[in-house]
Amino acid sequence: MNIPGLRRPTDTVGGIVHFGRMLDKIKLHAQGKLPEDYHANLGKGFDGWMCRWLGVEYPDVVARVKQGGRDEELLQWCFQQGRQRTAEEIEFFNGHLAKRGWRDEASGRLAQRKQESGFADRHDIQTFFDLIDADEGRAPRERLV
């Protein structure tokens, strides 16, 4: 399902994947525009990993996003509240998230989710980012890493 205003997981803010998507979900949820299917996982999964990696609590990020600001300002706030990340740490984190489900401990879960979503025969879906794009009706994107 295509959700207007929701970025792809590979889109970056400050060079970091998924951060902008997390912000979009927070904003869309606050506006009542985020489909109910997404509600149960807010702050979990990649959102939860993002917050733990940045050293911030998801409810605090939600509160800050609701105050407004540009994406880059919100990222800087996270760095100030939690911890600043180096270019190398960002590269490793991006690679981990972008490849999640590809030849790792989550591969079985990815296969299960593909089956549940009707994509079992889609060999182009090799990661959870690919699955998210396919589920939202987007064509696969070039690999990040």
Side-chain angles (χ1 to χ4, degrees):
M1 114 182 45
N2 184 353
I3 303 164
L6 183 59
R7 282 175 264 200
R8 298 177 101 141
T10 52
D11 291 342
T12 63
V13 172
I16 301 172
V17 299
H18 186 74
F19 185 77
R21 180 180 175 83
M22 180 178 71
L23 299 180
D24 292 345
K25 290 191 293 180
I26 292 168
K27 292 172 188 175
L28 290 168
H29 186 251
Q31 297 165 3
K33 296 179 182 177
L34 187 69
E36 184 137 354
D37 293 355
Y38 289 72
H39 295 188
N41 289 319
L42 289 170
K44 300 175 185 169
F46 290 138
D47 295 350
W49 282 15
M50 177 65 62
C51 289
R52 286 187 298 277
W53 183 71
L54 290 169
V56 294
E57 297 292 326
Y58 183 78
D60 295 338
V61 175
V62 171
R64 177 60 186 89
V65 169
K66 288 180 178 180
Q67 293 173 14
R70 294 184 353 259
D71 293 348
E72 294 77 15
E73 293 171 339
L74 297 169
L75 180 59
Q76 287 306 311
W77 178 87
C78 288
F79 287 154
Q80 292 166 357
Q81 300 304 306
R83 57 184 164 270
Q84 180 72 46
R85 291 301 188 161
T86 66
E88 185 176 66
E89 290 171 324
I90 291 170
E91 181 180 351
F92 286 137
F93 184 73
N94 285 351
H96 181 72
L97 258 60
K99 293 178 184 175
R100 187 76 175 145
W102 181 73
R103 295 183 177 183
D104 65 13
E105 66 280 358
S107 296
R109 178 74 176 129
L110 177 63
Q112 177 185 350
R113 293 285 311 279
K114 282 175 61 175
Q115 180 75 30
E116 293 168 358
S117 299
F119 298 128
D121 62 338
R122 293 274 307 269
H123 301 293
D124 60 319
I125 300 174
Q126 298 181 1
T127 68
F128 277 98
F129 277 16
D130 293 339
L131 180 62
I132 290 167
D133 278 345
D135 192 48
E136 292 176 357
R138 298 179 173 124
R141 213 177 214 193
E142 293 290 316
R143 295 276 178 254
L144 272 181
V145 286

